[in-house]
Amino acid sequence: MNKETLELIGGIIAIIGSLFLLLGSIGLLRMPDSYNRIQAGTKASTLGTMLSVLGAWFFAPAMVGKFVILILFVLITNPVSSHAIARAAYHIKVPLSPRTIVDKLKDKYSADSDRMAYKKKVKSETE
Amino acid sequence: MKNHFIMFLTLLGVWIMLNNSLETSIVVSGVVLALLIPFLFCNHCEVFSQLKLNPKSLLYTFLFITTFLWELIKANLDVARRVLTPSLPINPGIVEVKTQLKSKIGRIILADSITLTPGTFTVEIIEDSLFIHWIDVKSSDLEESTKIIVKTFEKYLEEMYG
């Protein structure tokens, strides 16, 4: 295949990737609470970045090693970071959305009194 | 020893891919560094020692990666559908699932794969329980949700890491 065809294919793949990134950001805006936002953000940004990098590979085929490393690092670090954010959010008692139907983790941590204490602390800090 | 060997291969692989060339000078310096680093700094990191190295586990690694990529694409289409539907069809909740995996690296990879598959991500791990935030809770029962969320990957990971 000649260079133009390859660049066309690469461009299309990169556009599909950026579409997923766009959907991810719409998800960030529309979801009701932090946890659901993390859901939308993580998945869409992983595949979006992977496809964008794959598209870039068609433009510079000689750089294959660096692109593979990029994809691997995104694949490894993305879920870890979103897990860390979610866990931290749960520990400082960021409230779940009212649409939440079950929370099995609640019993494992301390009860509602702490949640109230945290809210008061935030309130006094912002005032 | 096995730990050091896998560490050596990983480091060398990353080095060569980062340099993106197979020139003699780069490969030789990479081999020297990748030999030195595990022996100097890796006396206590046992991450890879639970890895099994045999043809069967390699086959399962391959199957795992294919399943994983397919689930990742499904996850994205799922998120896209939910985000674009005006009524925002979500039904979220945090459920508890159990894993049979014993090794640390197996659990890490299981938790990461759950995070990247449709509608689920790991909030907390306490011993052998994983607490999963599920965007569309189909069942809050422990057995039932374990079957839906964990089993897809666990059968492969069990062969790979035990």
Side-chain angles (χ1 to χ4, degrees):
Chain A
M1 275 194 277
N2 58 6
K3 204 160 176 289
E4 278 77 25
T5 337
L6 280 180
E7 289 191 353
L8 185 69
I9 297 171
I12 292 171
I13 293 176
I15 285 177
I16 297 173
S18 45
L19 270 180
F20 277 118
L21 290 174
L22 175 70
L23 285 170
S25 6
I26 297 174
L28 282 184
L29 285 174
R30 290 203 63 202
M31 290 298 181
D33 66 356
S34 330
Y35 306 97
N36 288 309
R37 290 200 171 111
I38 295 170
Q39 291 266 20
T42 319
K43 296 173 217 310
S45 69
T46 310
L47 190 64
T49 319
M50 280 169 70
L51 287 177
S52 307
V53 172
L54 190 68
W57 175 60
F58 281 89
F59 285 80
M63 303 268 282
V64 58
K66 288 185 189 183
F67 291 139
V68 171
I69 285 279
L70 258 177
I71 289 182
L72 277 181
F73 283 174
V74 167
L75 261 185
I76 295 169
T77 53
N78 239 349
V80 174
S81 58
S82 66
H83 160 70
I85 296 169
R87 191 166 174 274
Y90 204 92
H91 269 277
I92 61 166
K93 310 211 164 40
V94 173
L96 290 150
S97 109
R99 292 175 68 173
T100 306
I101 57 168
V102 54
D103 182 3
K104 288 273 184 72
L105 194 50
K106 203 172 169 183
D107 312 331
K108 305 278 172 183
Y109 291 145
S110 52
D112 270 318
S113 55
D114 280 24
R115 195 172 289 221
M116 295 309 290
Y118 174 70
K119 267 184 191 160
K120 269 180 201 155
K121 193 168 161 259
V122 170
K123 213 179 166 194
S124 63
E125 273 169 8
T126 45
E127 273 165 11
Chain B
M1 200 56 222
K2 193 169 92 181
N3 196 22
H4 288 77
F5 178 66
I6 298 173
M7 197 74 187
F8 164 75
L9 285 185
T10 318
L11 286 173
L12 187 63
V14 169
W15 170 260
I16 286 174
M17 283 197 274
L18 265 181
N19 278 292
N20 201 28
S21 94
L22 282 170
E23 281 171 42
T24 326
S25 57
I26 285 171
V27 173
V28 169
S29 53
V31 168
V32 171
L33 284 173
L35 271 177
L36 269 179
I37 290 169
F39 280 101
L40 286 179
F41 300 107
C42 213
N43 290 325
H44 299 292
C45 44
E46 285 108 14
V47 193
F48 295 118
S49 53
Q50 288 140 333
L51 208 69
K52 290 183 198 162
L53 285 178
N54 54 43
K56 201 179 169 200
S57 82
L58 286 180
L59 172 72
Y60 273 82
T61 311
F62 175 75
L63 288 177
F64 170 76
I65 292 171
T66 350
T67 323
F68 172 76
L69 286 178
W70 174 238
E71 292 285 324
L72 180 62
I73 294 169
K74 257 175 36 192
N76 275 275
L77 297 176
D78 180 72
V79 165
R81 182 177 63 80
R82 283 181 207 285
V83 163
L84 293 179
T85 313
S87 61
L88 201 65
I90 59 169
N91 194 15
I94 296 180
V95 296
E96 181 181 358
V97 298
K98 292 266 181 206
T99 173
Q100 264 127 43
L101 298 174
K102 297 283 180 295
S103 66
K104 273 185 197 163
I105 187 159
R107 284 186 186 172
I108 292 170
I109 296 183
L110 179 69
D112 283 357
S113 328
I114 287 172
T115 300
L116 289 174
T117 49
T120 50
F121 82 93
T122 319
V123 179
E124 175 73 293
I125 303 180
I126 300 171
E127 285 161 6
D128 62 345
S129 312
L130 281 85
F131 290 87
I132 311 282
H133 184 274
W134 201 353
I135 206 167
D136 184 15
V137 177
K138 292 196 184 72
S139 156
S140 59
D141 178 52
L142 192 135
E143 309 261 304
E144 192 72 25
S145 43
T146 304
K147 215 168 112 191
I148 300 175
I149 298 175
V150 177
K151 288 297 172 215
T152 336
F153 295 115
E154 203 174 48
K155 55 179 186 235
Y156 301 119
L157 289 170
E158 220 156 21
E159 289 300 325
M160 286 154 67
Y161 307 107

mmCIF file of all heavy atoms in Angstrom, chain B residues 26-43:
data_model
loop_
_atom_site.group_PDB
_atom_site.id
_atom_site.type_symbol
_atom_site.label_atom_id
_atom_site.label_comp_id
_atom_site.label_asym_id
_atom_site.label_seq_id
_atom_site.Cartn_x
_atom_site.Cartn_y
_atom_site.Cartn_z
ATOM 1 N N ILE B 26 23.151 -0.598 21.714
ATOM 2 C CA ILE B 26 21.958 -0.479 22.562
ATOM 3 C C ILE B 26 21.613 -1.806 23.216
ATOM 4 O O ILE B 26 21.347 -1.874 24.419
ATOM 5 C CB ILE B 26 20.791 0.063 21.718
ATOM 6 C CG1 ILE B 26 20.985 1.559 21.479
ATOM 7 C CG2 ILE B 26 19.459 -0.175 22.410
ATOM 8 C CD1 ILE B 26 20.049 2.162 20.504
ATOM 9 N N VAL B 27 21.671 -2.901 22.418
ATOM 10 C CA VAL B 27 21.321 -4.205 22.974
ATOM 11 C C VAL B 27 22.301 -4.596 24.072
ATOM 12 O O VAL B 27 21.911 -5.054 25.150
ATOM 13 C CB VAL B 27 21.274 -5.280 21.868
ATOM 14 C CG1 VAL B 27 21.081 -6.651 22.474
ATOM 15 C CG2 VAL B 27 20.155 -4.990 20.892
ATOM 16 N N VAL B 28 23.625 -4.351 23.825
ATOM 17 C CA VAL B 28 24.628 -4.748 24.819
ATOM 18 C C VAL B 28 24.449 -3.963 26.114
ATOM 19 O O VAL B 28 24.383 -4.541 27.207
ATOM 20 C CB VAL B 28 26.058 -4.562 24.265
ATOM 21 C CG1 VAL B 28 27.083 -4.713 25.382
ATOM 22 C CG2 VAL B 28 26.316 -5.592 23.178
ATOM 23 N N SER B 29 24.290 -2.637 26.006
ATOM 24 C CA SER B 29 24.108 -1.859 27.235
ATOM 25 C C SER B 29 22.815 -2.254 27.939
ATOM 26 O O SER B 29 22.754 -2.301 29.179
ATOM 27 C CB SER B 29 24.128 -0.357 26.933
ATOM 28 O OG SER B 29 23.193 -0.068 25.934
ATOM 29 N N GLY B 30 21.772 -2.575 27.157
ATOM 30 C CA GLY B 30 20.519 -3.025 27.751
ATOM 31 C C GLY B 30 20.686 -4.312 28.515
ATOM 32 O O GLY B 30 20.198 -4.449 29.636
ATOM 33 N N VAL B 31 21.396 -5.294 27.931
ATOM 34 C CA VAL B 31 21.596 -6.574 28.610
ATOM 35 C C VAL B 31 22.344 -6.364 29.916
ATOM 36 O O VAL B 31 21.968 -6.899 30.972
ATOM 37 C CB VAL B 31 22.356 -7.564 27.689
ATOM 38 C CG1 VAL B 31 22.829 -8.769 28.481
ATOM 39 C CG2 VAL B 31 21.470 -8.007 26.550
ATOM 40 N N VAL B 32 23.414 -5.531 29.883
ATOM 41 C CA VAL B 32 24.206 -5.295 31.094
ATOM 42 C C VAL B 32 23.336 -4.675 32.191
ATOM 43 O O VAL B 32 23.295 -5.159 33.334
ATOM 44 C CB VAL B 32 25.418 -4.388 30.781
ATOM 45 C CG1 VAL B 32 26.102 -3.966 32.062
ATOM 46 C CG2 VAL B 32 26.385 -5.109 29.872
ATOM 47 N N LEU B 33 22.584 -3.630 31.820
ATOM 48 C CA LEU B 33 21.749 -2.958 32.821
ATOM 49 C C LEU B 33 20.651 -3.871 33.340
ATOM 50 O O LEU B 33 20.401 -3.943 34.541
ATOM 51 C CB LEU B 33 21.137 -1.690 32.219
ATOM 52 C CG LEU B 33 22.093 -0.517 32.081
ATOM 53 C CD1 LEU B 33 21.436 0.611 31.314
ATOM 54 C CD2 LEU B 33 22.522 -0.035 33.456
ATOM 55 N N ALA B 34 20.005 -4.604 32.413
ATOM 56 C CA ALA B 34 18.906 -5.465 32.826
ATOM 57 C C ALA B 34 19.395 -6.621 33.690
ATOM 58 O O ALA B 34 18.639 -7.182 34.473
ATOM 59 C CB ALA B 34 18.165 -5.996 31.606
ATOM 60 N N LEU B 35 20.677 -6.990 33.559
ATOM 61 C CA LEU B 35 21.238 -8.003 34.462
ATOM 62 C C LEU B 35 21.533 -7.398 35.829
ATOM 63 O O LEU B 35 21.302 -8.022 36.860
ATOM 64 C CB LEU B 35 22.532 -8.582 33.881
ATOM 65 C CG LEU B 35 22.404 -9.795 32.968
ATOM 66 C CD1 LEU B 35 23.766 -10.167 32.433
ATOM 67 C CD2 LEU B 35 21.801 -10.967 33.724
ATOM 68 N N LEU B 36 22.074 -6.185 35.817
ATOM 69 C CA LEU B 36 22.483 -5.548 37.071
ATOM 70 C C LEU B 36 21.293 -5.188 37.958
ATOM 71 O O LEU B 36 21.301 -5.480 39.153
ATOM 72 C CB LEU B 36 23.279 -4.271 36.762
ATOM 73 C CG LEU B 36 24.787 -4.409 36.644
ATOM 74 C CD1 LEU B 36 25.409 -3.060 36.308
ATOM 75 C CD2 LEU B 36 25.368 -4.949 37.938
ATOM 76 N N ILE B 37 20.278 -4.555 37.343
ATOM 77 C CA ILE B 37 19.201 -3.986 38.158
ATOM 78 C C ILE B 37 18.466 -5.030 39.012
ATOM 79 O O ILE B 37 18.320 -4.831 40.215
ATOM 80 C CB ILE B 37 18.228 -3.182 37.263
ATOM 81 C CG1 ILE B 37 18.941 -1.917 36.776
ATOM 82 C CG2 ILE B 37 16.972 -2.795 38.023
ATOM 83 C CD1 ILE B 37 18.213 -1.166 35.704
ATOM 84 N N PRO B 38 18.016 -6.181 38.436
ATOM 85 C CA PRO B 38 17.329 -7.141 39.305
ATOM 86 C C PRO B 38 18.192 -7.637 40.453
ATOM 87 O O PRO B 38 17.698 -7.834 41.562
ATOM 88 C CB PRO B 38 16.984 -8.291 38.357
ATOM 89 C CG PRO B 38 16.999 -7.712 37.025
ATOM 90 C CD PRO B 38 18.037 -6.642 37.053
ATOM 91 N N PHE B 39 19.520 -7.825 40.220
ATOM 92 C CA PHE B 39 20.350 -8.366 41.289
ATOM 93 C C PHE B 39 20.647 -7.323 42.357
ATOM 94 O O PHE B 39 20.857 -7.665 43.521
ATOM 95 C CB PHE B 39 21.644 -8.954 40.720
ATOM 96 C CG PHE B 39 21.420 -10.319 40.147
ATOM 97 C CD1 PHE B 39 21.290 -10.496 38.778
ATOM 98 C CD2 PHE B 39 21.284 -11.418 40.972
ATOM 99 C CE1 PHE B 39 21.039 -11.747 38.253
ATOM 100 C CE2 PHE B 39 21.028 -12.666 40.458
ATOM 101 C CZ PHE B 39 20.911 -12.833 39.087
ATOM 102 N N LEU B 40 20.676 -6.059 41.976
ATOM 103 C CA LEU B 40 20.956 -5.020 42.975
ATOM 104 C C LEU B 40 19.703 -4.636 43.758
ATOM 105 O O LEU B 40 19.756 -4.435 44.963
ATOM 106 C CB LEU B 40 21.526 -3.774 42.288
ATOM 107 C CG LEU B 40 22.966 -3.892 41.806
ATOM 108 C CD1 LEU B 40 23.384 -2.598 41.126
ATOM 109 C CD2 LEU B 40 23.898 -4.185 42.962
ATOM 110 N N PHE B 41 18.568 -4.537 43.062
ATOM 111 C CA PHE B 41 17.394 -3.928 43.707
ATOM 112 C C PHE B 41 16.243 -4.887 43.937
ATOM 113 O O PHE B 41 15.217 -4.490 44.447
ATOM 114 C CB PHE B 41 16.894 -2.754 42.872
ATOM 115 C CG PHE B 41 17.918 -1.681 42.701
ATOM 116 C CD1 PHE B 41 18.553 -1.501 41.486
ATOM 117 C CD2 PHE B 41 18.250 -0.863 43.761
ATOM 118 C CE1 PHE B 41 19.505 -0.519 41.328
ATOM 119 C CE2 PHE B 41 19.204 0.116 43.609
ATOM 120 C CZ PHE B 41 19.837 0.291 42.393
ATOM 121 N N CYS B 42 16.348 -6.133 43.492
ATOM 122 C CA CYS B 42 15.165 -6.974 43.474
ATOM 123 C C CYS B 42 15.251 -8.162 44.420
ATOM 124 O O CYS B 42 14.869 -9.259 44.079
ATOM 125 C CB CYS B 42 14.891 -7.457 42.050
ATOM 126 S SG CYS B 42 13.156 -7.628 41.739
ATOM 127 N N ASN B 43 15.763 -7.934 45.645
ATOM 128 C CA ASN B 43 15.857 -9.059 46.567
ATOM 129 C C ASN B 43 14.525 -9.379 47.221
ATOM 130 O O ASN B 43 14.304 -10.485 47.675
ATOM 131 C CB ASN B 43 16.896 -8.752 47.646
ATOM 132 C CG ASN B 43 18.288 -8.747 47.059
ATOM 133 O OD1 ASN B 43 18.581 -9.518 46.150
ATOM 134 N ND2 ASN B 43 19.139 -7.861 47.547
#
